[in-house]
Amino acid sequence: MTIQGAGSARRSRARPALWACLAAGFATLFDAVVITYAAPAVSSSLGGSTAGVQWLLASFSLTFGLGLIPSGRLGDVYGRRLLFLVGLGTFLVGGVAAVVAPTIAVLIGARFVQGLGAGVISAQVLGAIQDLFTGTSRLSALAAYTAVGGLAGVLGPVLAAALLGLFPADTAWRLVLLTPLPLVVAAFVLGWRGMPGPRAHAATSGRVWLDLPGIVLLCLVVVALTLPVVEPGLSGLAGLAVAGAAVVLGLVLLQWERRYARRGRLPLFSPPLVRSRGFVVGNVVALLWFGSGMAAGSAVTLYFLQSPALSALVIALVFAPGALARLGGSLFSLRVVERLGSSVTVGLGLGLQAVLFAGLAVAAPLLPGGVLFVVAAAAQIGLGVGGGLVEPVVRATTLSFAPAELHGVAASFLQLTQRLAATFLVALATGILLTSSGVATAATLHAALVTCSVGSAVALVVSADPVFRRAGTRAEAAAPLRGGSRTTARM
């Protein structure tokens, strides 16, 4: 086959796969953003406590991380299609169970199942993009995926708020959680036809080591760290006991990983990745940026949802320009990188997020509710632009440190760290916001936003690491030589 023919065949395979990835990404991201709007109705309908609301908001991210690494490794060896379809099926089962849940405990359990399915899906989405795209085409594909998240961020809250306003609480939140499920079915059909199938070497590749004990231990560490901020009864000696358990579990995890690696198997913390300073730095930047953003978004939305003067639909519509700004930022991220460079682009996005969170924290106790709402809506636009610029660049730079045979593992690990950080920080921020009374105040919003601002500021400092900055510069210089044309990512 000629070089031109090979490039044409590559584009013909990549385009339908990208459509499948974007459809699945939209469905899972839509589901993730609407839960905050549905939470008050769920609490009213099923009688959820403050801890129940915290677990409802954090549960999805915890099992999202649990499903990432094993499915990423299986996808690396056996191809993306089977794992992609399994993830969609799992997500669909959990979604149906959530819609018909009779109690908040059952609903939280269903969200755990959905999170697991979403993790399996996401590992294949990012792995497929790594496999099928290179250079500027890869950055364009990642930007398209980010843009889909921005579109879900616009449509999800508006549609959820409309349903919450039109129907009684017990019916409305069920309709909200039902909404993305038809698109999951569509993504299943697209994935069946478009995602890459089994690899030619899969039959002779031998056993695949998944390090399930390491994954479970890591999630137990996160749960142990999260429990004290979710359960108000865990204070004093009980809190110290839980903290001690987290330390012990962490030490056990380290020992297990060393033992697993000595056996010649691939541990959760893959040596080629954790020994890469740039990959580790990129993960720290991504987890702090993502976790802080998720936590602040949940806190701000919950704060205004309790106001009798504001309906959910008004909040969704006024905050919609922020999601559109994220969409625009992601679509123009490649142009900004070409003009300013990846390091400056990331620094601008992270700095903007830290400053806006700090500004909202200062404004919360000083401004009347109506004025604060307008200020928060304006801040959402800046946060959207910053997030749209940061996400594809941080992902592309971080994953550039991964060897080809670990594309799926690296993409999964990056998502794992982000989701586990979101689990902890969302629970922490909502716990600070609601306290034990379940009522948010301007003072508690201030404290929650200060926490998120500090996380963003630390991410900005870490992103200045020389190795990480040089990797972004090298990727920009090599992109025209390594990558296919930008048309590969066009739809």
Side-chain angles (χ1 to χ4, degrees):
M1 182 181 290
T2 65
I3 294 176
Q4 184 177 0
S8 176
R10 184 182 182 88
R11 286 193 293 273
S12 67
R13 292 194 304 270
R15 192 174 292 112
L18 182 60
W19 274 112
C21 291
L22 296 181
F26 182 89
T28 55
L29 292 168
F30 182 101
D31 184 87
V33 299
V34 299
I35 192 64
T36 302
Y37 281 82
V42 170
S43 181
S44 172
S45 171
L46 301 181
S49 62
T50 297
V53 172
Q54 288 177 272
W55 278 119
L56 178 64
L57 296 177
S59 56
F60 187 91
S61 288
L62 181 62
T63 48
F64 190 112
L66 186 64
L68 282 167
I69 298 296
S71 60
R73 289 179 178 173
L74 289 171
D76 280 342
V77 176
Y78 297 113
R80 307 294 174 194
R81 184 191 302 154
L82 176 61
L83 275 297
F84 184 74
L85 299 179
V86 168
L88 287 169
T90 303
F91 186 87
L92 185 61
V93 169
V96 172
V99 169
V100 300
T103 66
I104 195 165
V106 173
L107 177 57
I108 292 171
R111 296 294 295 174
F112 277 125
V113 174
Q114 280 194 284
L116 182 64
V120 177
I121 294 166
S122 185
Q124 309 320 310
V125 167
L126 292 179
I129 290 175
Q130 285 284 95
D131 292 341
L132 297 173
F133 300 92
T134 57
T136 54
S137 295
R138 179 182 293 169
L139 187 57
S140 296
L142 288 170
Y145 183 66
T146 302
V148 162
L151 186 61
V154 174
L155 297 180
V158 172
L159 184 55
L163 292 172
L164 289 166
L166 290 173
F167 296 93
D170 186 58
T171 302
W173 68 262
R174 298 179 192 275
L175 291 175
V176 168
L177 297 184
L178 176 66
T179 302
L181 299 188
L183 190 57
V184 174
V185 177
F188 191 96
V189 175
L190 290 169
W192 180 271
R193 300 180 59 184
M195 288 292 282
R199 301 183 184 221
H201 68 274
T204 59
S205 60
R207 184 173 179 180
V208 183
W209 301 107
L210 300 180
D211 192 13
L212 294 178
I215 296 168
V216 172
L217 282 169
L218 178 60
C219 287
L220 288 175
V221 171
V222 175
V223 170
L225 291 173
T226 305
L227 275 173
V229 302
V230 173
E231 299 293 342
L234 290 177
S235 58
L237 291 178
L240 290 175
V242 173
V247 173
V248 171
L249 287 168
L251 293 174
V252 171
L253 173 61
L254 291 176
Q255 290 299 318
W256 168 259
E257 291 293 284
R258 290 172 182 171
R259 181 181 177 185
Y260 201 72
R262 284 198 297 266
R263 293 179 180 177
R265 302 171 184 177
L266 185 62
L268 170 63
F269 296 96
S270 175
L273 298 178
V274 297
R275 290 172 186 163
S276 169
R277 177 173 168 177
F279 184 78
V280 172
V281 167
N283 270 269
V284 173
V285 172
L287 71 89
L288 289 172
W289 162 75
F290 183 80
S292 297
M294 287 281 289
S298 298
V300 170
T301 302
L302 286 174
Y303 176 80
F304 287 114
L305 281 173
Q306 75 171 8
S307 171
L310 297 171
S311 68
L313 183 58
V314 168
I315 296 171
L317 289 173
V318 173
F319 283 2
L324 287 172
R326 181 183 179 87
L327 176 62
S330 65
L331 292 175
F332 285 96
S333 60
L334 183 57
R335 295 184 184 180
V336 177
V337 169
E338 289 173 343
R339 176 164 295 188
L340 300 179
S342 61
S343 299
V344 175
T345 302
V346 171
L348 284 174
L350 291 174
L352 185 61
Q353 178 169 294
V355 169
L356 288 174
F357 285 163
L360 284 176
V362 172
L366 299 178
L367 299 178
V371 177
L372 180 62
F373 180 59
V374 173
V375 171
Q380 295 299 315
I381 298 175
L383 291 169
V385 171
L389 293 176
V390 167
E391 184 171 4
V393 182
V394 168
R395 277 183 175 168
T397 303
T398 303
L399 295 178
S400 70
F401 290 95
E405 66 274 12
L406 293 177
H407 276 169
V409 174
S412 299
F413 193 89
L414 178 60
Q415 286 277 80
L416 172 66
T417 57
Q418 288 180 285
R419 287 294 172 173
L420 293 183
T423 300
F424 177 78
L425 288 174
V426 167
L428 177 62
T430 53
I432 293 172
L433 177 76
L434 300 175
T435 65
S436 59
S437 66
V439 177
T441 67
T444 58
L445 178 62
H446 165 82
L449 289 172
V450 166
T451 303
C452 297
S453 179
V454 170
S456 301
V458 174
L460 175 61
V461 173
V462 174
S463 71
D465 179 86
V467 173
F468 190 71
R469 290 170 61 90
R470 286 198 299 270
T473 303
R474 286 198 303 269
E476 295 158 28
L481 301 176
R482 291 188 295 110
S485 68
R486 292 184 195 177
T487 58
T488 306
R490 289 176 185 165
M491 296 166 285

